[in-house]
């Protein structure tokens, strides 16, 4: 069964915004392409949504999201969105999903419908939620031997007037020594019967979803869900600010430079501290070193006490206002299957709690993210009216790519442009094919893992007037936008 015949007929009534993840969100925290527009991560601070570029055949586009299906730990990431129109209780719908999977296990994707967003502080598997639909009746077609393309389709009857959708793994799965991912290329949800336009609010709902551009942190109105809310309820009307740091070096110049946002949050609390205000501080150490729980509990406590010493002896905090605890290696917040994830699980969490709001305190703002650099691949590096790069000019392209910084995190966005001569649709297609050609060259040069988004804009964004030959030549270009900073 071919993937595309299932996908295209339902586009007109698809209730999912940005269903093939082609539209990118440039998040405000880091001014970088961090997620597909309209989609959110359930745990953006610890298990963010992996947004990736691909060039596999058989899909609806060149961008996808990657979700952890199985691993040796309980950490998972999830994709969620608000539907363009609520489901009608008792009405039948069809869901069609296209994607790829690593490994030989049959692909399984689970969907959960809800009436609100779901956010969590840590990336643990959502086994506390009812999973809802399980899509496991797959049509699997072999591709390159490494990944298998699959199409999942199922009809269901809406049990309520649901407004939100979550994709991921809810049921407990057999653990795996290596991570197994599901790569989601596109999803459609549409009524089984009946034709016509979507609800009258669909366009406004899409605009609202696209305009939400803060994707690396939990929205403040949801931050006290779950365990945090229950804990605070036991303590009365406390307003708490939680800050996660590597260790006591956050108070040094080097530590502040590595994590300016955490340093700014700590500064905002330190400025208003007075013993008489009733502020209480909890410092909890977490350690994920090789060794037993007892050993890690001791290491976590030692690191927490070092932070306490700085607050007391350098920042003027009272010993009576601070409590120290250690969770050892029992509550990892990051992926434990990789060396990088294990290292990230060595941290200290500070909770500054006051019986009255901290809104009147001046809050320090972290330095703005560095503006991205734009490298322009000119028209002359392609064959005439073609998306094929001129091999004789690869040296010139290599000189351009040498300007991409090494030794620091970068994310790349590749955007193709044309002049206004010719048909608009042809120009749009040519710009996309040229952008894909540059992306493929970047991959061959070792930059493939840093590409986040590839698109073609056709003639929509000229860099110069199209009335002159020189202007048109400037407009025929591919831009490599280099974002520096956190991924």
């Amino acid at each position: 069964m071919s993937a595309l015949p299932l996908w295209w007929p339902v586009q007109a009534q698809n209730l999912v915004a940005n269903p093939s993840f082609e539209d990118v969100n440039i998040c405000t925290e880091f001014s970088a392409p961090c997620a597909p527009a309209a989609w959110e991560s359930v745990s953006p601070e610890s298990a963010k949504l992996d947004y990736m570029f691909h060039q596999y055949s058989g899909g609806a586009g060149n961008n996808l999201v990657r979700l952890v299906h199985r691993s040796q730990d309980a950490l998972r990431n999830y994709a969620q969105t608000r539907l363009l129109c609520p489901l009608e209780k008792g009405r039948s719908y069809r869901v069609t999903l296209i994607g790829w999977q690593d490994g030989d296990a049959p692909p399984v994707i689970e969907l959960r419908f809800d009436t609100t967003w779901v956010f969590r502080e840590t990336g643990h598997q959502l086994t506390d939620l009812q999973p809802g639909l399980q899509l496991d009746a797959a049509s699997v077609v072999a591709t390159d031997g490494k990944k298998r393309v699959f199409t999942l389709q199922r009809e269901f009857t809406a049990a309520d007037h649901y407004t939100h959708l979550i994709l991921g793994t809810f049921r407990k799965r057999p653990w795996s020594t290596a991570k197994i991912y599901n790569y989601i290329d596109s999803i459609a949800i549409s009524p089984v019967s009946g034709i016509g336009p979507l609800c009258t609010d669909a366009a406004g709902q899409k605009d609202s979803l696209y305009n939400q551009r803060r994707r690396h942190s939990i929205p403040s109105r949801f931050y006290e869900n779950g365990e945090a809310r229950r804990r605070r309820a036991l303590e009365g009307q406390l307003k708490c600010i939680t800050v996660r740091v590597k260790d006591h070096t956050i108070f040094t110049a080097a530590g502040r430079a590595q994590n300016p946002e955490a340093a700014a949050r700590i500064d905002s609390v330190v400025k208003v501290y007075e013993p008489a205000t009733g502020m209480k501080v909890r410092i909890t150490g977490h350690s994920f070193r090789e060794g037993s729980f007892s050993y890690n509990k001791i290491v976590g406590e030692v690191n927490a006490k070092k932070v306490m010493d700085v607050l007391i002896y350098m920042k003027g905090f009272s010993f009576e206002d601070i409590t120290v605890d250690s969770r050892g290696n029992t509550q990892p917040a990051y992926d434990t299957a990789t060396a990088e994830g294990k290292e990230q699980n060595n941290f200290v969490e500070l909770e500054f709690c006051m019986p009255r709001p901290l809104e009147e305190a001046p809050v320090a703002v972290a330095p703005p993210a560095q503006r991205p650099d734009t490298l322009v691949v000119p028209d002359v590096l392609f064959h005439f009216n073609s998306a094929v790069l001129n091999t004789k000019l690869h040296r010139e392209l290599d000189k351009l790519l040498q300007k991409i910084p090494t030794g620091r995190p970068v994310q790349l966005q590749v955007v193709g442009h044309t002049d206004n001569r010719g048909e608009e649709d042809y120009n749009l297609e040519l710009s996309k094919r040229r952008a894909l050609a540059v992306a493929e060259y970047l991959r061959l040069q070792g930059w493939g893992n840093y590409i986040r988004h590839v698109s073609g804009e056709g003639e929509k964004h000229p860099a110069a007037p199209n009335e002159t030959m020189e202007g048109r030549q400037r407009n025929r270009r591919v831009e490599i936008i280099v974002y520096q900073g956190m991924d």
Side-chain angles (χ1 to χ4, degrees):
M1 179 171 57
S2 172
L4 289 180
L6 286 172
W7 171 251
W8 293 110
V10 297
Q11 283 285 15
Q13 284 193 301
N14 192 359
L15 300 178
V16 180
N18 195 15
S20 58
F21 314 110
E22 291 301 286
D23 296 333
V24 65
N25 177 78
I26 308 298
C27 67
T28 57
E29 296 99 320
F30 302 103
S31 296
C34 63
W39 290 86
E40 298 275 355
S41 174
V42 168
S43 302
E45 298 173 6
S46 56
K48 70 181 183 65
L49 188 61
D50 287 338
Y51 184 47
M52 305 172 67
F53 165 74
H54 77 87
Q55 287 187 288
Y56 308 130
S57 61
N62 293 102
N63 294 280
L64 52 77
V65 295
R66 184 177 71 173
L67 303 177
V68 178
H69 173 57
R70 287 171 55 188
S71 67
Q72 64 181 359
D73 54 41
L75 298 180
R76 298 291 186 271
N77 59 344
Y78 297 87
Q80 61 177 329
T81 188
R82 183 183 177 98
L83 300 174
L84 294 175
C85 304
L87 299 184
E88 297 178 28
K89 184 176 180 179
R91 188 172 184 180
S92 296
Y93 294 85
R94 179 182 296 111
V95 55
T96 303
L97 186 146
I98 301 173
W100 289 264
Q101 186 190 47
D102 289 328
D104 298 324
V108 177
I109 300 291
E110 294 168 84
L111 285 72
R112 181 182 187 275
F113 294 100
D114 208 324
T115 56
T116 186
W117 298 101
V118 174
F119 290 101
R120 294 289 188 271
E121 295 180 43
T122 59
H124 294 294
Q125 189 172 1
L126 297 179
T127 54
D128 59 316
L129 299 180
Q130 291 295 325
L133 290 179
Q134 178 169 301
L135 305 181
D136 53 8
S139 168
V140 181
V141 181
T143 52
D144 56 7
K146 296 181 179 179
K147 289 183 173 61
R148 302 181 306 154
V149 62
F150 59 83
T151 299
L152 307 179
Q153 189 175 76
R154 178 173 174 178
E155 293 185 5
F156 66 96
T157 301
D160 205 340
H161 300 288
Y162 294 118
T163 55
H164 291 71
L165 166 70
I166 305 177
L167 296 176
T169 300
F170 298 86
R171 294 175 175 85
K172 291 183 178 179
R173 302 289 175 189
W175 71 281
S176 171
T177 55
K179 279 193 173 180
I180 296 177
Y181 296 98
N182 285 323
Y183 300 80
I184 313 302
D185 178 78
S186 58
I187 179 171
I189 298 176
S190 58
V192 172
S193 61
I195 59 175
L198 296 174
C199 58
T200 56
D201 192 43
Q205 187 62 251
K206 180 179 178 180
D207 290 341
S208 175
L209 290 168
Y210 273 50
N211 289 332
Q212 202 296 92
R213 297 189 177 277
R214 189 169 182 86
R215 301 296 176 87
H216 274 281
S217 55
I218 298 174
S220 59
R221 66 187 184 279
F222 291 101
Y223 195 79
E224 294 192 355
N225 279 359
E227 181 61 31
R229 175 188 290 173
R230 290 192 291 270
R231 186 174 64 245
R232 284 154 176 70
L234 294 174
E235 296 166 347
Q237 299 300 313
L238 292 182
K239 174 69 176 181
C240 297
I241 292 181
T242 302
V243 187
R244 187 176 293 167
V245 301
K246 180 182 179 182
D247 51 35
H248 66 287
T249 58
I250 188 64
F251 297 100
T252 66
R256 293 176 65 87
Q258 290 181 356
N259 199 343
E261 187 171 356
R265 288 167 64 85
I266 292 175
D267 287 347
S268 68
V269 179
V270 169
K271 287 179 180 179
V272 299
Y273 172 75
E274 289 290 344
T277 63
M279 181 188 291
K280 302 298 179 183
V281 185
R282 277 192 297 266
I283 308 175
T284 306
H286 297 259
S287 173
F288 212 86
R289 307 292 183 189
E290 295 295 333
S292 65
F293 161 73
S294 298
Y295 169 74
N296 280 285
K297 185 173 177 61
I298 293 172
V299 173
E301 185 174 1
V302 169
N303 290 334
K305 286 183 176 178
K306 288 181 180 179
V307 174
M308 179 188 71
D309 288 344
V310 175
L311 289 177
I312 292 174
Y313 298 112
M314 297 179 62
K315 304 299 181 181
F317 280 66
S318 170
F319 181 85
E320 287 76 16
D321 291 336
I322 300 178
T323 57
V324 172
D325 191 13
S326 173
R327 303 297 170 84
N329 56 6
T330 60
Q331 295 183 4
Y334 303 95
D335 185 359
T336 61
T338 65
E340 181 183 7
K342 290 179 180 179
E343 181 58 34
Q344 288 178 317
N345 282 313
N346 297 294
F347 63 90
V348 176
E349 190 171 75
L350 295 90
E351 286 185 285
F352 300 90
C353 298
M354 293 185 69
R356 58 187 178 86
L358 285 171
E359 274 73 16
E360 66 269 24
V363 178
V365 179
Q370 185 172 338
R371 292 180 62 86
D373 296 324
T374 301
L375 307 179
V376 178
V377 180
D379 173 60
V380 295
L381 297 189
F382 292 90
H383 288 294
F384 175 71
N385 201 27
S386 166
V388 179
L389 287 164
N390 189 340
T391 57
K392 296 180 180 179
L393 297 176
H394 277 181
R395 180 175 298 179
E396 297 301 317
L397 183 54
D398 291 339
K399 290 180 181 178
L400 189 66
L401 300 189
Q402 289 175 3
K403 297 180 180 180
I404 301 176
T406 58
R408 68 183 73 173
V410 296
Q411 299 174 75
L412 305 178
Q413 185 180 13
V414 186
V415 185
H417 302 272
T418 67
D419 60 27
N420 67 349
R421 292 187 302 176
E423 295 294 330
E424 182 178 349
D425 290 344
Y426 174 81
N427 288 335
L428 187 64
E429 177 64 21
L430 177 61
S431 67
K432 177 68 178 290
R433 289 190 288 115
R434 284 190 166 188
L436 290 171
V438 172
E440 175 62 13
Y441 192 84
L442 282 165
R443 186 188 68 80
L444 294 174
Q445 301 305 311
W447 292 103
N449 291 335
Y450 301 91
I451 301 173
R452 291 294 172 267
H453 188 255
V454 177
S455 63
E457 295 294 324
E459 60 192 58
K460 291 186 290 186
H461 301 290
N466 279 300
E467 284 70 29
T468 66
M469 182 182 299
E470 293 78 9
R472 290 192 295 271
Q473 186 170 37
R474 284 185 59 191
N475 291 332
R476 298 191 298 268
R477 69 201 189 277
V478 174
E479 294 178 343
I480 304 172
I481 306 174
V482 182
Y483 299 88
Q484 301 184 41
M486 184 176 180
D487 185 357

